[in-house]
Amino acid sequence: MNKKELFENIKHKKSFLCVGLDTDITKIPRHLQKEDDPIYTFNKAIIDATAEFCIAYKPNLAFYECGGYNGWISLNKTIEYIKNNYPDQFIIADAKRGDIGNTSTMYAQTFFEEMDVHSLTVAPYMGEDSVAPFLRYEGKWVILLALTSNKGSNDFQSTEDKQGERLFEKVLRISQKWGNDENMMYVVGATQGKMFEDIRRIAPNHFLLVPGIGAQGGSLEEVCRYGMNDMCGLIVNSSRAILYADNTVEFAIKAKKSASLIQKEMELFLLKKGVI
């Protein structure tokens, strides 16, 4: 999926919502536990309930890898279900990979050939040779960690060098020599608020994957005010607020309502910016 196709889908759905499939086996409704594959059954219901309101799904690999072989089966079935039934959805594998070149080459093969997802989150801190293998795939996206939403992000990401440049700014500046806004995005946490202005000064045209609204306390209004550009430029993720809106047999109905409310709010911001 290229940048134009992604933007057209945002305009069509009046949404830039990504549903994070951080499916925790201990949190899904109890009546699903009797299913042969509870995680896949839960995911399938969530996807069917929310697909009309979102433009992307983001399975977090940790929630599947912890289940060993069965977890990988659930993940692959989930990805195949999205591709077969909702081909307009942008699929993000949230794996935060990144290693020396030959190892990254194998990771890239795993996600972009074997699993055939559209994009992958990648840690940039081992440098260009650890990211380059992911950028060799035409039509695929690398989503680099830039400024994250967790409390400890300030431990390293905001540290300054002698010239006053912060580490996340260096990541943004240097990484644009490796890729461009047609194959690279950045992770910027919703809790960073006004810091989106600093991000946009360096990367005005790139899409940003934005986790952290809802349960983590990020403000959608601030994200849009400081981070939205003329092509929207945002993919805003919501996980727990949608997945666990309800823990009864009506979980999918409540997930649909939650996704719908976020989409309606997003539509207003798109209209205000003149994107749609």
Side-chain angles (χ1 to χ4, degrees), residues 53-83:
F53 305 110
C54 67
I55 53 95
Y57 288 101
K58 183 177 71 64
N60 185 320
L61 270 288
F63 289 84
Y64 302 88
E65 291 174 328
C66 68
Y69 174 78
N70 289 332
W72 277 99
I73 294 294
S74 300
L75 173 64
N76 277 281
K77 286 164 63 177
T78 297
I79 290 171
E80 287 303 310
Y81 186 77
I82 297 169
K83 290 194 291 189

CSV table of all heavy atoms in Angstrom, one decimal, residues 53-83:
chain,number,residue,atom,x,y,z
A,53,PHE,N,-14.7,1.6,10.7
A,53,PHE,CA,-14.3,2.8,11.4
A,53,PHE,C,-12.8,3.1,11.4
A,53,PHE,O,-12.3,4.2,11.8
A,53,PHE,CB,-14.8,2.8,12.8
A,53,PHE,CG,-16.3,2.6,12.9
A,53,PHE,CD1,-16.8,1.4,13.4
A,53,PHE,CD2,-17.2,3.5,12.4
A,53,PHE,CE1,-18.1,1.1,13.5
A,53,PHE,CE2,-18.6,3.3,12.5
A,53,PHE,CZ,-19.0,2.1,13.0
A,54,CYS,N,-12.0,2.1,10.9
A,54,CYS,CA,-10.5,2.3,11.0
A,54,CYS,C,-9.9,2.1,9.7
A,54,CYS,O,-10.5,1.6,8.7
A,54,CYS,CB,-10.0,1.3,12.1
A,54,CYS,SG,-10.1,-0.4,11.6
A,55,ILE,N,-8.6,2.4,9.6
A,55,ILE,CA,-7.9,2.3,8.4
A,55,ILE,C,-6.7,1.3,8.6
A,55,ILE,O,-6.0,1.1,7.6
A,55,ILE,CB,-7.4,3.6,7.8
A,55,ILE,CG1,-6.7,4.5,8.8
A,55,ILE,CG2,-8.6,4.4,7.3
A,55,ILE,CD1,-5.2,4.3,8.8
A,56,ALA,N,-6.5,0.9,9.8
A,56,ALA,CA,-5.3,0.0,10.0
A,56,ALA,C,-5.5,-0.9,11.3
A,56,ALA,O,-6.3,-0.5,12.1
A,56,ALA,CB,-4.0,0.9,10.3
A,57,TYR,N,-4.8,-2.0,11.2
A,57,TYR,CA,-4.7,-2.9,12.4
A,57,TYR,C,-3.3,-3.1,12.8
A,57,TYR,O,-2.4,-3.2,11.9
A,57,TYR,CB,-5.4,-4.2,12.2
A,57,TYR,CG,-6.9,-4.1,12.1
A,57,TYR,CD1,-7.6,-4.1,10.9
A,57,TYR,CD2,-7.7,-4.0,13.3
A,57,TYR,CE1,-9.0,-4.0,10.8
A,57,TYR,CE2,-9.1,-3.9,13.2
A,57,TYR,CZ,-9.7,-3.9,12.0
A,57,TYR,OH,-11.1,-3.7,12.0
A,58,LYS,N,-3.0,-3.2,14.1
A,58,LYS,CA,-1.6,-3.3,14.5
A,58,LYS,C,-1.5,-4.4,15.6
A,58,LYS,O,-1.6,-4.1,16.8
A,58,LYS,CB,-1.1,-2.0,15.1
A,58,LYS,CG,0.3,-2.0,15.6
A,58,LYS,CD,0.8,-0.6,16.1
A,58,LYS,CE,0.2,-0.2,17.4
A,58,LYS,NZ,0.6,-1.2,18.6
A,59,PRO,N,-1.3,-5.6,15.1
A,59,PRO,CA,-1.0,-6.7,16.1
A,59,PRO,C,0.3,-6.4,16.8
A,59,PRO,O,1.3,-6.2,16.1
A,59,PRO,CB,-1.0,-8.0,15.3
A,59,PRO,CG,-0.8,-7.5,13.9
A,59,PRO,CD,-1.4,-6.1,13.8
A,60,ASN,N,0.4,-6.5,18.1
A,60,ASN,CA,1.6,-6.3,18.9
A,60,ASN,C,2.2,-7.8,19.1
A,60,ASN,O,1.5,-8.6,19.7
A,60,ASN,CB,1.3,-5.7,20.2
A,60,ASN,CG,2.6,-5.4,21.0
A,60,ASN,OD1,3.5,-6.2,21.0
A,60,ASN,ND2,2.6,-4.2,21.6
A,61,LEU,N,3.3,-8.0,18.5
A,61,LEU,CA,3.9,-9.4,18.5
A,61,LEU,C,4.1,-10.0,19.8
A,61,LEU,O,3.9,-11.2,20.0
A,61,LEU,CB,5.2,-9.4,17.7
A,61,LEU,CG,5.1,-9.6,16.2
A,61,LEU,CD1,4.8,-11.0,15.9
A,61,LEU,CD2,4.2,-8.6,15.5
A,62,ALA,N,4.3,-9.2,20.9
A,62,ALA,CA,4.6,-9.7,22.2
A,62,ALA,C,3.4,-10.5,22.7
A,62,ALA,O,3.5,-11.5,23.4
A,62,ALA,CB,4.9,-8.6,23.2
A,63,PHE,N,2.2,-10.1,22.3
A,63,PHE,CA,0.9,-10.7,22.8
A,63,PHE,C,0.7,-12.1,22.1
A,63,PHE,O,-0.2,-12.8,22.5
A,63,PHE,CB,-0.2,-9.8,22.7
A,63,PHE,CG,-0.2,-8.6,23.6
A,63,PHE,CD1,0.5,-7.5,23.3
A,63,PHE,CD2,-0.9,-8.7,24.8
A,63,PHE,CE1,0.5,-6.4,24.2
A,63,PHE,CE2,-0.8,-7.6,25.7
A,63,PHE,CZ,-0.1,-6.5,25.4
A,64,TYR,N,1.4,-12.4,21.1
A,64,TYR,CA,1.3,-13.6,20.4
A,64,TYR,C,2.5,-14.5,20.6
A,64,TYR,O,2.4,-15.7,20.8
A,64,TYR,CB,1.1,-13.3,18.9
A,64,TYR,CG,-0.1,-12.5,18.6
A,64,TYR,CD1,0.0,-11.1,18.6
A,64,TYR,CD2,-1.3,-13.0,18.4
A,64,TYR,CE1,-1.1,-10.3,18.5
A,64,TYR,CE2,-2.5,-12.2,18.2
A,64,TYR,CZ,-2.3,-10.9,18.3
A,64,TYR,OH,-3.4,-10.1,18.1
A,65,GLU,N,3.7,-13.9,20.6
A,65,GLU,CA,4.9,-14.7,20.9
A,65,GLU,C,4.9,-15.4,22.2
A,65,GLU,O,5.5,-16.5,22.4
A,65,GLU,CB,6.1,-13.8,20.7
A,65,GLU,CG,6.4,-13.3,19.3
A,65,GLU,CD,7.5,-12.3,19.2
A,65,GLU,OE1,7.7,-11.5,20.2
A,65,GLU,OE2,8.2,-12.3,18.2
A,66,CYS,N,4.3,-14.7,23.2
A,66,CYS,CA,4.2,-15.3,24.5
A,66,CYS,C,3.4,-16.6,24.6
A,66,CYS,O,3.6,-17.4,25.5
A,66,CYS,CB,3.6,-14.3,25.5
A,66,CYS,SG,1.8,-14.0,25.3
A,67,GLY,N,2.6,-16.9,23.5
A,67,GLY,CA,1.9,-18.1,23.5
A,67,GLY,C,2.6,-19.2,22.7
A,67,GLY,O,2.0,-20.3,22.4
A,68,GLY,N,3.9,-19.0,22.3
A,68,GLY,CA,4.6,-20.0,21.6
A,68,GLY,C,4.0,-20.3,20.3
A,68,GLY,O,3.5,-19.4,19.6
A,69,TYR,N,4.1,-21.6,19.9
A,69,TYR,CA,3.6,-22.0,18.6
A,69,TYR,C,2.2,-21.6,18.3
A,69,TYR,O,1.8,-21.1,17.3
A,69,TYR,CB,3.8,-23.5,18.5
A,69,TYR,CG,3.2,-24.1,17.2
A,69,TYR,CD1,3.9,-24.0,16.0
A,69,TYR,CD2,2.0,-24.8,17.2
A,69,TYR,CE1,3.3,-24.6,14.8
A,69,TYR,CE2,1.4,-25.3,16.1
A,69,TYR,CZ,2.1,-25.2,14.9
A,69,TYR,OH,1.6,-25.7,13.7
A,70,ASN,N,1.3,-21.8,19.3
A,70,ASN,CA,-0.1,-21.5,19.2
A,70,ASN,C,-0.3,-20.0,19.0
A,70,ASN,O,-1.2,-19.6,18.3
A,70,ASN,CB,-0.9,-22.0,20.4
A,70,ASN,CG,-1.0,-23.5,20.4
A,70,ASN,OD1,-1.0,-24.2,19.4
A,70,ASN,ND2,-1.1,-24.1,21.6
A,71,GLY,N,0.5,-19.2,19.7
A,71,GLY,CA,0.4,-17.8,19.5
A,71,GLY,C,0.7,-17.3,18.1
A,71,GLY,O,0.0,-16.4,17.5
A,72,TRP,N,1.7,-17.9,17.5
A,72,TRP,CA,2.1,-17.6,16.1
A,72,TRP,C,1.0,-18.0,15.1
A,72,TRP,O,0.7,-17.3,14.1
A,72,TRP,CB,3.4,-18.3,15.7
A,72,TRP,CG,4.6,-17.5,16.2
A,72,TRP,CD1,5.3,-17.7,17.3
A,72,TRP,CD2,5.1,-16.3,15.5
A,72,TRP,NE1,6.3,-16.7,17.3
A,72,TRP,CE2,6.2,-15.9,16.3
A,72,TRP,CE3,4.8,-15.6,14.3
A,72,TRP,CZ2,7.0,-14.8,15.9
A,72,TRP,CZ3,5.6,-14.5,14.0
A,72,TRP,CH2,6.7,-14.1,14.7
A,73,ILE,N,0.3,-19.2,15.4
A,73,ILE,CA,-0.8,-19.6,14.6
A,73,ILE,C,-1.9,-18.6,14.7
A,73,ILE,O,-2.5,-18.2,13.6
A,73,ILE,CB,-1.3,-21.0,15.1
A,73,ILE,CG1,-0.2,-22.1,14.8
A,73,ILE,CG2,-2.6,-21.3,14.4
A,73,ILE,CD1,0.1,-22.3,13.4
A,74,SER,N,-2.2,-18.1,15.9
A,74,SER,CA,-3.3,-17.1,16.0
A,74,SER,C,-3.0,-15.8,15.3
A,74,SER,O,-3.8,-15.2,14.7
A,74,SER,CB,-3.5,-16.8,17.5
A,74,SER,OG,-3.9,-17.9,18.3
A,75,LEU,N,-1.7,-15.4,15.4
A,75,LEU,CA,-1.3,-14.2,14.7
A,75,LEU,C,-1.4,-14.3,13.2
A,75,LEU,O,-2.0,-13.5,12.5
A,75,LEU,CB,0.2,-13.9,15.0
A,75,LEU,CG,0.8,-12.7,14.3
A,75,LEU,CD1,0.1,-11.4,14.6
A,75,LEU,CD2,2.3,-12.6,14.6
A,76,ASN,N,-0.9,-15.4,12.6
A,76,ASN,CA,-1.0,-15.6,11.2
A,76,ASN,C,-2.4,-15.7,10.7
A,76,ASN,O,-2.8,-15.2,9.6
A,76,ASN,CB,-0.2,-16.9,10.8
A,76,ASN,CG,1.3,-16.6,10.6
A,76,ASN,OD1,1.7,-16.1,9.6
A,76,ASN,ND2,2.1,-16.9,11.7
A,77,LYS,N,-3.3,-16.4,11.4
A,77,LYS,CA,-4.7,-16.5,11.1
A,77,LYS,C,-5.3,-15.1,11.1
A,77,LYS,O,-6.2,-14.8,10.2
A,77,LYS,CB,-5.4,-17.4,12.0
A,77,LYS,CG,-5.1,-18.9,11.7
A,77,LYS,CD,-5.5,-19.8,12.9
A,77,LYS,CE,-7.0,-19.8,13.1
A,77,LYS,NZ,-7.4,-20.8,14.2
A,78,THR,N,-5.0,-14.3,12.1
A,78,THR,CA,-5.5,-12.9,12.2
A,78,THR,C,-5.1,-12.1,11.0
A,78,THR,O,-6.0,-11.4,10.4
A,78,THR,CB,-5.0,-12.3,13.5
A,78,THR,OG1,-5.5,-13.0,14.6
A,78,THR,CG2,-5.5,-10.8,13.6
A,79,ILE,N,-3.8,-12.1,10.6
A,79,ILE,CA,-3.4,-11.4,9.5
A,79,ILE,C,-4.0,-11.8,8.2
A,79,ILE,O,-4.4,-11.0,7.4
A,79,ILE,CB,-1.8,-11.5,9.4
A,79,ILE,CG1,-1.2,-10.7,10.6
A,79,ILE,CG2,-1.3,-10.9,8.1
A,79,ILE,CD1,0.3,-10.9,10.7
A,80,GLU,N,-4.1,-13.1,8.0
A,80,GLU,CA,-4.8,-13.6,6.8
A,80,GLU,C,-6.2,-13.2,6.7
A,80,GLU,O,-6.8,-12.9,5.7
A,80,GLU,CB,-4.6,-15.2,6.7
A,80,GLU,CG,-3.2,-15.6,6.4
A,80,GLU,CD,-2.7,-15.1,5.1
A,80,GLU,OE1,-3.5,-15.2,4.1
A,80,GLU,OE2,-1.6,-14.5,5.0
A,81,TYR,N,-6.9,-13.2,7.9
A,81,TYR,CA,-8.3,-12.8,7.9
A,81,TYR,C,-8.5,-11.4,7.5
A,81,TYR,O,-9.4,-11.1,6.7
A,81,TYR,CB,-8.9,-13.0,9.3
A,81,TYR,CG,-10.4,-12.8,9.4
A,81,TYR,CD1,-11.3,-13.7,8.9
A,81,TYR,CD2,-10.9,-11.6,9.8
A,81,TYR,CE1,-12.6,-13.5,8.9
A,81,TYR,CE2,-12.3,-11.3,9.9
A,81,TYR,CZ,-13.1,-12.3,9.4
A,81,TYR,OH,-14.5,-12.1,9.4
A,82,ILE,N,-7.6,-10.5,8.0
A,82,ILE,CA,-7.7,-9.1,7.6
A,82,ILE,C,-7.4,-9.0,6.1
A,82,ILE,O,-8.2,-8.3,5.3
A,82,ILE,CB,-6.7,-8.3,8.3
A,82,ILE,CG1,-7.0,-8.3,9.8
A,82,ILE,CG2,-6.7,-6.8,7.8
A,82,ILE,CD1,-5.9,-7.7,10.7
A,83,LYS,N,-6.4,-9.6,5.6
A,83,LYS,CA,-6.0,-9.5,4.1
A,83,LYS,C,-7.1,-10.0,3.2
A,83,LYS,O,-7.4,-9.5,2.2
A,83,LYS,CB,-4.7,-10.2,3.9
A,83,LYS,CG,-3.5,-9.5,4.5
A,83,LYS,CD,-2.2,-10.0,3.9
A,83,LYS,CE,-1.9,-11.4,4.4
A,83,LYS,NZ,-0.5,-11.9,4.0
